[in-house]
Amino acid sequence: MSQPPNQPPQGGFGAPQDPRQQPPQQPPQMPPAPPGPPAAPPQQPPAQPGYGYPQAPPQQAPQPGYGYPGQPGQQPGQAGPYGQPQPGPYGQPQPGPYGQQPGPYGQQQPGPYGGFPGAPAPGPGGTGGGFKGKPAVIIGAALAAVLVVGGGIYLATSGDDGGKKKRPVADGSKDNKQDGLPNGGTGDTSDDSAGGRDAGDDLNAGRQSGESKVLWLQKNDVDLPRNGADVYGPWFTDGLVVKAMYKKVAAYSTTDGKEKWSLPLSTEICAAPVRTSDDGKIVIGVKNGTTEKAKCSQLQLVDLKTGKAGWKAEVKKEGTFDLLSDITIAISGNTVTAGRTGHSTAFSMKDGKELWGKLPGECQPYAFTSSAKLIAAAACSTGEAARNHERIQEHDPATGKVKWSYPLAKGWSVDKVYSVSPLVVSVQERAKKTWSVIALTDSGKLRSEIDGGKDKFQPQCGGSFVIFGRNLEGCTGVAADQNAFYMATAEKTSGLERTNEVVAFNLDTGKPKWRSAATDRPMMPVRMEGGEVLVHMDASYEKGGALATIAASGGKPKTLLQNPQSTAEIENSFFTTKVAYEGGQFYVVATRVSASNDEEEKETKTMMVFGK
């Protein structure tokens, strides 16, 4: 959601380094309600291989990560992010349940992007428990982009269990480069012509008993700018998988990958929510021009069932520093929000009319979640630096009215929302590089503080780079049900072998309940599935990727879908990916398309779909 600088912190839980050995940093201040100075922009990170990409063994020992209170090296006298805050926006929260010690995850190492907690660890996929992000819902995400690639050439496959039949090759329609925004899509433009692979190429050849089948494979066919493009999606509705990239939104049949509709846009897509509305509509952000000075300031409704374009609205500049940040989009009921530095604006999903904007009071929300509950991060500028702080709030989607507000201690900021129901939030104190995870009740009261102990953890929070703004959603490596919060530990390496565990925490106490048995590959929680934790396991050089479930009571992961070993090389060829599990099918989706030349660009694999 543009690449966010504020992912969960790098490093993991472990013995922290003495902060006196590091240059002091001033905590970045959220800007006041407009007018007011914006925060300093983070440096844009270089693209790196993300979660799911095969990793070489680390070249150096992991750096210490987040320590639990009481470990050596921590400085006394630091208040926690929550604990027993005083009521009212001006109250100074008291130290947390650990007295005069840092939050439960201690001192964090500065990341490569200017020390922002949540910057990815160095090297492919990171070392030392560095966080590598993916989106929640059914989707996982990779660091360097937001979301999924545009249309493409795909290879439809089907047949007997032995996988010996030759598979037909089909070619999705080429990128429609019309200018302007049509009232509808292009319709079903697929055909059965050659698509970049030999017609006799059999992706299921060599498939072993019990392994899933490759249902179809798609390649890119969108003519991209020199630096490539991020991908948004995938979204699912009525037998379609929809994704967007650059200046195109397209839908494909979940059965065979054939393109069902295509919607060309006149300007570049620059923002999108992680979820659609309940009736299968979405609002995306598009730039207001084609020059380098174009802003991400326009909203465009798209009906994902038909490919028809609906209303279009402008996010108006309402202050000197407004719209210096990129917008981030969230959908809740009939409301779509455009969050940004300064304040946010809400529009009606039905007609695009503005519902509410700047709210009364000193606290202005700047980022939201897409869910039945509109959870927000808000910055509170009191006019006194000592009283400026951030809050976690729930708003009425129709009016913007605050239902409840939970203040964080000075210096602490909202990082990510790992789960909305139950509400589990990552928070951080950037100046001291301290990270914490808290659970709140439905009424906004502190439920528990997650006790990380001495473990190192590795949530992955992806999405695209956002200037000044903040994306609240988009994490895997975490999941939650009403009783427990599940989080993946950082990978441990031994030669070429990488393993980790999933730890369950009691949401009422914050204490660990159990940890899963380690497997032969890293695993990352994606979401809950049938009362169990759905986890994604990496493809390795010798084994295809897999989906598995872990019982809510713990135990060994139980394989749900094991991809063929014969296609592991193709899975590994995706530079960065997210995964999705929908309708019994397992989607591996590229999150960015970039190539050094046109030929390579057309051969870039963008989506691979597996099933039984």
Side-chain angles (χ1 to χ4, degrees), residues 14-25:
Q17 291 188 356
D18 190 331
R20 292 170 294 185
Q21 299 174 356
Q22 304 172 7
Q25 297 186 21

Side-chain angles (χ1 to χ4, degrees), residues 59-306:
Q59 300 300 313
Q60 58 184 8
Q63 295 295 314
Y66 314 117
Y68 191 68
Q71 289 185 313
Q74 294 180 342
Q75 299 299 307
Q78 297 174 354
Y82 35 86
Q84 303 298 323
Q86 298 298 319
Y90 302 101
Q92 295 301 311
Q94 298 301 310
Y98 297 99
Q100 299 298 317
Q101 294 177 334
Y105 306 153
Q107 300 296 326
Q108 176 209 344
Q109 293 301 303
Y113 307 156
F116 278 94
T127 60
F131 286 171
K132 308 174 305 175
K134 289 207 176 178
V137 199
I138 294 192
I139 303 168
L143 163 72
V146 325
L147 329 342
V148 155
V149 21
I153 302 167
Y154 59 88
L155 175 65
T157 66
S158 58
D160 60 340
D161 290 341
K164 301 301 181 183
K165 294 182 180 179
K166 290 185 178 181
R167 311 301 181 207
V169 177
D171 181 5
S173 65
K174 300 298 183 242
D175 185 26
N176 187 332
K177 298 181 182 178
Q178 295 174 236
D179 288 331
L181 182 63
N183 291 325
T186 60
D188 188 344
T189 57
S190 59
D191 57 40
D192 294 322
S193 59
R197 295 181 64 98
D198 186 278
D201 205 353
D202 185 356
L203 292 176
N204 286 312
R207 185 174 66 89
Q208 303 298 310
S209 176
E211 293 181 333
S212 60
K213 298 177 183 178
V214 181
L215 302 181
W216 44 277
L217 173 67
Q218 186 179 74
K219 292 184 181 181
N220 176 56
D221 72 344
V222 178
D223 188 12
L224 299 173
R226 181 177 59 182
N227 294 328
D230 297 336
V231 188
Y232 299 80
W235 306 288
F236 296 88
T237 183
D238 289 1
L240 299 175
V241 53
V242 184
K243 50 188 183 174
M245 182 177 65
Y246 191 40
K247 298 179 181 179
K248 176 181 177 180
V249 186
Y252 308 89
S253 167
T254 56
T255 302
D256 57 18
K258 290 184 178 181
E259 186 177 277
K260 292 300 181 183
W261 57 257
S262 173
L263 178 64
L265 303 170
S266 58
T267 59
E268 188 173 349
I269 301 165
C270 52
V274 298
R275 297 175 182 86
T276 69
S277 66
D278 292 340
D279 59 353
K281 293 182 175 63
I282 200 163
V283 174
I284 58 175
V286 294
K287 292 188 176 181
N288 61 2
T290 57
T291 69
E292 291 184 356
K293 295 182 178 181
K295 303 294 184 183
C296 187
S297 63
Q298 294 184 336
L299 303 181
Q300 175 65 64
L301 178 74
V302 180
D303 188 328
L304 299 186
K305 297 179 182 180
T306 64

